[in-house]
Amino acid sequence: MSIRWFRLFLVLVAVTSAMPAARAQQTQPNAQSQQAATPAPAPSAVVADQQRVLQGLKAKTDDLEKRIQQEADDDAKLVDIRLQLEELSRQALAAGVAFRPRMSEINARLEQLGAPPAEGQPAEPEIVSKERAGLATEKAEINAAIAAAQTLSIRISGLIDKIATMRSELFRNVLTKRYILVDSFGSAVVTDASTEFTNLYAALASWLSFAFQYKFQAVLAATAMALAAAAVLLLGGRRLFGRIFEPDPNVEDPSYLSRLSVAFWSTLLPSLALGVFFFATYFFFDYYGVLRGDIGTFIRAFMLLIMVTFCVNRLVTSALSPKLPNWRLIPVESTPARWLVRLSTAMAVVISVNSFLGVVNEQMGSPLSLTIARSFMAAVVVGIILILMGLVRPFRTHLGVWRPWPAWLRYLAFGLGLFTIGAALLGYIGLAIFVSLQVVITGTILITAYIGFLSARAVSEEGGFGGSTIGRWLADRTSLEDTTLDQLGLAVSMAINLMIVLVFLPLILFMWGFQPGDIQTWIYKLATGISIGSVTISFTGILSGIVVFFVGYFLTRWFQGWLDGSVMARGRVDAGVRNSIRLVVGYAGVAIAALVGISAAGIDLSNLALVAGGLSLGIGFGLQNVVSNFVSGLILLAERPFKVGDWIVAGQVSGTVKKISVRATEIETFQRQSVILPNSELINNAVGNWTHRNKLGRVEIKVGIAYGSDARHAHEIMLETARAHPLVLKNPEPFVQFVNFGPAALEFEVRVFLADILNSGGVQNDIRFGILEAFGKAGIEIPSTPRAAVTPPKPEAWPIDDDKAEVVHAELEEAKAEAERKRAGRRRRRPDPG
């Protein structure tokens, strides 16, 4: 009925609005032609804004596509272009997503308006037709804009793939390009080198003159601040790590953990301090305008040269310790250790100088022949050094015989050295330099990281952290136990491993040709999520979910404690009720924290419907007992047939309830044994509760007197003794029951009521002692049952049977035969009469 009235209202509105239009049509006969010439309505604000955004993104994409061709030979610039394209792709997708709210509104409104009337049906009001047409037009514009955004995103993805292909090809060309060495070595090389050195000297002299004349104070300030930053790190590290920073010559036999720690931290901290000094110096020089032209590039390359050389020398010196043999990680002799330090440092110097000269050649536009000659000599020198290192005999037996490196290590050094020299001689200069660089830089990084991992593993071992300097310092100044120190050692070990991965993994990736932009892209993908099929895994979301869950968990525990200790304790709520409420609040809080954590992790709970269906099937078959106990626990917490502190009897178990959980109930017997009973047994079987409603209970004490005793007097004695006990209730009053004429005594039963049945043991004990003393004074005898005398069984005699008789007869016959043989022998030995 309401729909009909609504339609009638729309018709009236349409007619009312049509009347002025009809009059206007009479006065203006050309209105229809003018209306036909009216332009289409302008797009909505959302569509117009996003169209402008998409046009701007398209223009930027066109510009970046042109730059790809211009920077085809520069890997770093290609990475920068790729980062910009990825940002444009995200903006294009965001522009497409921006239409969703408006599209939802349009679809909802079109659904409300319904389909247009079919042919032959009454026409709908003109206002409805216009609204539907406008919405359809806007929807088409939005669809076109979304299609444009998707097309742009696909185009950007194609450009990103193109950049990846170009970078791979560029890397392969660098390694596989072959140069003609004959053309690179000649008299022109010496001339070019002299000219380049002259130009470099002139540029540096000009910059130094400028810096000291116009920027002297800025240079001093920048250097002072850089030194302060490095000093803070170095001195702070020395104070924090103490004796694990440098080897102590007074320690004759340091532990392996101490040697590892000294080697790792004495390499890492000074290297970091030097790196901080160089970084701060360059930053402040650039900030104060001290750098100009290509000087900044030269200074940066020179700082890298010193940094690499220092780090390699520090690492090899710390590991081999030429001056302190007891601190060596590798048991080599002192002379080979010194040679190894010199050779490693020389190799680092050669590689670093070659890299520095490469930067100089690039900035000054040096001839290609000079670059080839420089790289060739550096590769050959590195190869020779590797062969010399393989020839070193670092070990000596107890007989004084020198032994070489293990075969695999020796042959590896020979192989790398010969490969580098051979590649350089064949003209593959890029490949030779790449291998040389990886041997020095990557080898140094890997060795340092390996020492760090060994140090972390030693710290994590039982007693490892407690035996370290920091562990002993903590033990002396705190009350931490050995178990706590071991757990702290595990945490320190995990922190060291994480620090090693975060520091050294990017360095290795840089050395293998990756750019900072690559790592930035990976980090962004890890943060936003990795798509595997239709599933997106976001490590940031997972971490957020874990943090939210733990926050909810600890809030639940705090609320439980506050509710139990402050609210219910002050309200003197029963202990059983308090336990039930605390458990329900705990389970509900953990469940809510888990749900919120899952939602914060970005996991759609609706996707778990299939998993829940599978779990329900498994629960139905394999987890029947678990579910039964769980439901029984909920019933126990709701009905509360017994509570914590009650004395219950369940089958053969009798004791006090200590804890009620959703799966099982803990009962402590009077022998202090904890019995864990599944909740389903407590629900399905009979359970006796001595303290269900209250602690009032009756106690029975059985007493027997001898036949011939005064039974009535004994009855009075027992009744008076029961009434005299202070814990026995007067109402209901105690009474004594004559139970039976027993086989050896007249049997009585003393029945008393107690306000607290838990005191029954002590009351029974007191009443028995009182009855025994009163019976002794009254001469009433308590009979004892006579014990039967037990005679131990005698061992049975050997049975006389046929077999034994035969054995005895055979023995007698053998004895007679032996006697007969002896007599016959004596007759044969009579004396000769002659």
Side-chain angles (χ1 to χ4, degrees):
M1 182 65 70
S2 59
I3 296 177
R4 294 179 180 178
W5 283 106
F6 179 71
R7 289 181 178 176
L8 180 60
F9 174 75
L10 290 179
V11 170
L12 292 176
V13 171
V15 171
T16 305
S17 60
M19 291 174 62
R23 289 194 297 269
Q25 187 175 7
Q26 294 176 358
T27 57
Q28 297 179 358
N30 296 328
Q32 289 185 346
S33 60
Q34 293 177 0
Q35 185 177 5
T38 303
S44 64
V46 176
V47 177
D49 293 341
Q50 297 306 317
Q51 285 179 346
R52 286 193 296 269
V53 170
L54 290 174
Q55 291 175 358
L57 295 178
K58 185 177 180 300
K60 292 180 181 178
T61 304
D62 295 338
D63 181 62
L64 291 176
E65 187 174 8
K66 296 178 182 178
R67 286 185 57 193
I68 291 175
Q69 303 300 327
Q70 298 172 358
E71 309 292 349
D73 296 333
D74 194 331
D75 186 70
K77 291 183 179 180
L78 288 177
V79 172
D80 181 64
I81 294 173
R82 190 193 66 186
L83 292 176
Q84 297 182 42
L85 287 173
E86 290 175 349
E87 179 62 27
L88 292 180
S89 178
R90 289 191 287 269
Q91 293 179 8
L93 293 177
V97 172
F99 292 111
R100 288 182 180 177
R102 180 55 184 165
M103 183 65 79
S104 300
E105 294 176 0
I106 293 174
N107 291 331
R109 181 56 182 163
L110 288 175
E111 186 176 357
Q112 290 177 356
L113 295 177
E119 186 177 357
Q121 293 183 355
E124 63 182 358
E126 184 179 0
I127 187 172
V128 178
S129 301
K130 289 183 178 181
E131 184 179 4
R132 180 183 291 106
L135 292 175
T137 302
E138 185 177 359
K139 184 176 181 179
E141 293 174 350
I142 291 177
N143 288 329
I146 293 176
Q150 293 176 347
T151 303
L152 181 61
S153 178
I154 294 173
R155 179 189 174 192
I156 293 174
S157 299
L159 293 177
I160 292 174
D161 294 338
K162 181 180 179 180
I163 290 176
T165 304
M166 293 176 63
R167 292 185 62 201
S168 300
E169 186 67 24
L170 185 64
F171 183 72
R172 285 194 298 269
N173 291 336
V174 171
L175 296 184
T176 59
K177 188 175 183 179
R178 188 171 182 268
Y179 298 93
I180 306 301
L181 298 181
V182 178
D183 299 337
S184 301
F185 289 92
S187 59
V189 174
V190 179
T191 304
D192 293 338
S194 176
T195 303
E196 183 170 307
F197 177 77
T198 302
N199 295 334
L200 177 63
Y201 177 79
L204 291 177
S206 174
W207 174 73
L208 289 174
S209 175
F210 162 76
F212 279 98
Q213 289 183 6
Y214 302 102
K215 297 289 184 178
F216 182 72
Q217 294 181 351
V219 169
L220 289 181
T223 306
M225 287 186 286
L227 284 174
V232 168
L233 178 61
L234 191 62
L235 296 179
R238 286 178 178 272
R239 185 172 183 82
L240 179 62
F241 295 99
R243 283 177 285 178
I244 66 173
F245 186 81
E246 290 182 352
D248 188 357
N250 298 322
V251 179
E252 297 181 358
D253 188 18
S255 63
Y256 186 67
L257 175 60
S258 300
R259 286 181 286 163
L260 282 173
S261 301
V262 168
F264 179 70
W265 293 109
S266 63
T267 300
L268 184 62
L269 287 178
S271 300
L272 287 177
L274 183 63
V276 168
F277 171 71
F278 284 156
F279 176 80
T281 301
Y282 186 86
F283 174 79
F284 288 123
F285 276 13
D286 184 61
Y287 180 79
Y288 288 116
V290 178
L291 303 177
R292 62 180 179 85
D294 297 335
I295 298 300
T297 304
F298 295 154
I299 291 179
R300 188 166 60 247
F302 185 73
M303 289 178 176
L304 182 62
L305 183 155
I306 298 176
M307 186 72 190
V308 170
T309 304
F310 176 82
C311 184
V312 172
N313 178 266
R314 190 73 184 183
L315 173 64
V316 179
T317 303
S318 301
L320 298 178
S321 186
K323 297 181 180 180
L324 297 174
N326 53 339
W327 283 93
R328 288 174 191 158
L329 290 176
I330 305 175
V332 299
E333 297 297 324
S334 298
T335 302
R338 286 192 290 270
W339 275 107
L340 290 173
V341 171
R342 294 167 185 168
L343 291 173
S344 301
T345 306
M347 189 162 52
V349 170
V350 171
I351 290 296
S352 301
V353 171
N354 178 70
S355 300
F356 173 74
L357 294 179
V359 173
V360 173
N361 294 153
E362 182 180 356
Q363 294 297 323
M364 303 190 70
S366 302
L368 180 62
S369 58
L370 187 61
T371 301
I372 295 174
R374 167 184 53 79
S375 302
F376 173 82
M377 289 186 293
V380 171
V381 171
V382 170
I384 294 173
I385 292 175
L386 284 173
I387 295 174
L388 293 176
M389 294 177 70
L391 293 174
V392 172
R393 295 177 177 269
F395 309 109
R396 186 165 59 179
T397 63
H398 62 282
L399 298 177
V401 179
W402 291 93
R403 292 190 299 107
W405 294 105
W408 68 271
L409 185 58
R410 185 169 69 254
Y411 292 145
L412 178 62
F414 290 160
L416 290 174
L418 293 175
F419 179 82
T420 303
I421 296 174
L425 292 175
L426 293 176
Y428 295 100
I429 304 299
L431 179 60
I433 288 297
F434 180 79
V435 173
S436 303
L437 191 65
Q438 302 313 315
V439 168
V440 177
I441 308 300
T442 306
T444 302
I445 295 173
L446 290 177
I447 292 173
T448 306
Y450 181 68
I451 293 175
F453 284 129
L454 291 178
S455 178
R457 186 174 66 180
V459 168
S460 65
E461 293 179 354
E462 186 175 358
F465 183 75
S468 64
T469 303
I470 299 178
R472 290 193 296 269
W473 182 84
L474 287 175
D476 294 338
R477 288 166 174 78
T478 61
S479 59
L480 296 178
E481 299 179 352
D482 294 339
T483 304
T484 306
L485 289 176
D486 283 339
Q487 294 175 350
L488 186 59
L490 291 175
V492 172
S493 174
M494 294 176 60
I496 293 176
N497 289 328
L498 181 61
M499 182 190 70
I500 292 171
V501 172
L502 294 179
V503 172
F504 291 102
L505 183 59
L507 294 178
I508 294 175
L509 294 176
F510 292 156
M511 296 310 303
W512 281 85
F514 294 94
Q515 299 293 334
D518 297 321
I519 299 178
Q520 180 181 348
T521 302
W522 297 338
I523 293 175
Y524 178 80
K525 289 182 178 179
L526 289 176
T528 56
I530 299 175
S531 297
I532 303 175
S534 60
V535 179
T536 301
I537 300 175
S538 173
F539 292 95
T540 304
I542 293 174
L543 182 61
S544 301
I546 293 174
V547 171
V548 169
F549 171 75
F550 278 106
V551 169
Y553 176 82
F554 287 113
L555 285 177
T556 300
R557 291 290 179 256
W558 171 82
F559 182 74
Q560 274 185 298
W562 174 80
L563 184 64
D564 184 36
S566 299
V567 178
M568 292 189 293
R570 293 183 180 180
R572 297 184 180 182
V573 180
D574 183 75
V577 177
R578 291 169 56 183
N579 179 71
S580 299
I581 295 176
R582 185 171 63 252
L583 287 176
V584 171
V585 170
Y587 287 124
V590 172
I592 293 173
L595 293 176
V596 174
I598 291 174
S599 300
I603 300 175
D604 189 1
L605 296 178
S606 62
N607 295 332
L608 301 178
L610 183 60
V611 178
L615 287 178
S616 62
L617 182 61
I619 289 172
F621 288 98
L623 302 178
Q624 294 182 13
N625 293 333
V626 176
V627 175
S628 175
N629 291 326
F630 180 79
V631 176
S632 299
L634 296 179
I635 294 174
L636 291 177
L637 292 174
E639 292 187 355
R640 299 181 63 249
F642 52 82
K643 57 186 180 297
V644 174
D646 282 357
W647 174 14
I648 68 172
V649 179
Q652 301 296 324
V653 180
S654 177
T656 305
V657 178
K658 288 298 182 181
K659 182 180 179 181
I660 304 174
S661 61
V662 293
R663 191 198 67 83
T665 298
E666 179 184 348
I667 300 173
E668 184 180 308
T669 66
F670 298 107
Q671 292 80 22
R672 299 299 180 185
Q673 179 190 24
S674 294
V675 180
I676 309 299
L677 283 179
N679 290 329
S680 58
E681 295 187 9
L682 299 174
I683 289 292
N684 299 327
N685 299 324
V687 178
N689 190 349
W690 284 94
T691 56
H692 180 45
R693 300 298 181 187
N694 51 56
K695 295 184 179 181
L696 178 65
R698 194 184 76 178
V699 177
E700 295 85 14
I701 304 171
K702 295 181 179 181
V703 182
I705 63 174
Y707 281 96
S709 302
D710 190 349
R712 292 192 177 275
H713 186 45
H715 180 275
E716 294 176 358
I717 291 175
M718 288 184 281
L719 189 59
E720 291 298 328
T721 304
R723 289 173 176 172
H725 198 282
L727 296 181
V728 175
L729 295 179
K730 301 299 185 288
N731 185 20
E733 64 177 354
F735 66 94
V736 179
Q737 182 75 27
F738 192 169
V739 178
N740 190 24
F741 294 96
L746 302 176
E747 298 177 358
F748 291 83
E749 192 173 89
V750 181
R751 300 173 181 175
V752 296
F753 289 88
L754 303 178
D756 190 351
I757 193 65
L758 299 178
N759 297 325
S760 60
V763 173
Q764 289 176 334
N765 193 54
D766 295 341
I767 293 177
R768 287 192 182 101
F769 273 114
I771 292 174
L772 182 62
E773 293 175 357
F775 279 3
K777 295 178 181 179
I780 299 174
E781 181 183 357
I782 299 176
S784 60
T785 304
R787 297 181 180 179
V790 180
T791 304
K794 296 181 179 179
E796 295 182 0
W798 181 275
I800 302 175
D801 53 9
D802 294 339
D803 293 337
K804 182 179 180 182
E806 291 178 1
V807 171
V808 173
H809 178 71
E811 292 177 352
L812 292 175
E813 291 296 328
E814 182 65 26
K816 290 179 181 180
E818 184 66 24
E820 186 64 28
R821 286 194 296 271
K822 290 181 179 179
R823 286 196 298 270
R826 283 196 297 270
R827 287 197 298 267
R828 284 194 297 267
R829 288 195 301 268
R830 285 182 297 181
D832 189 2

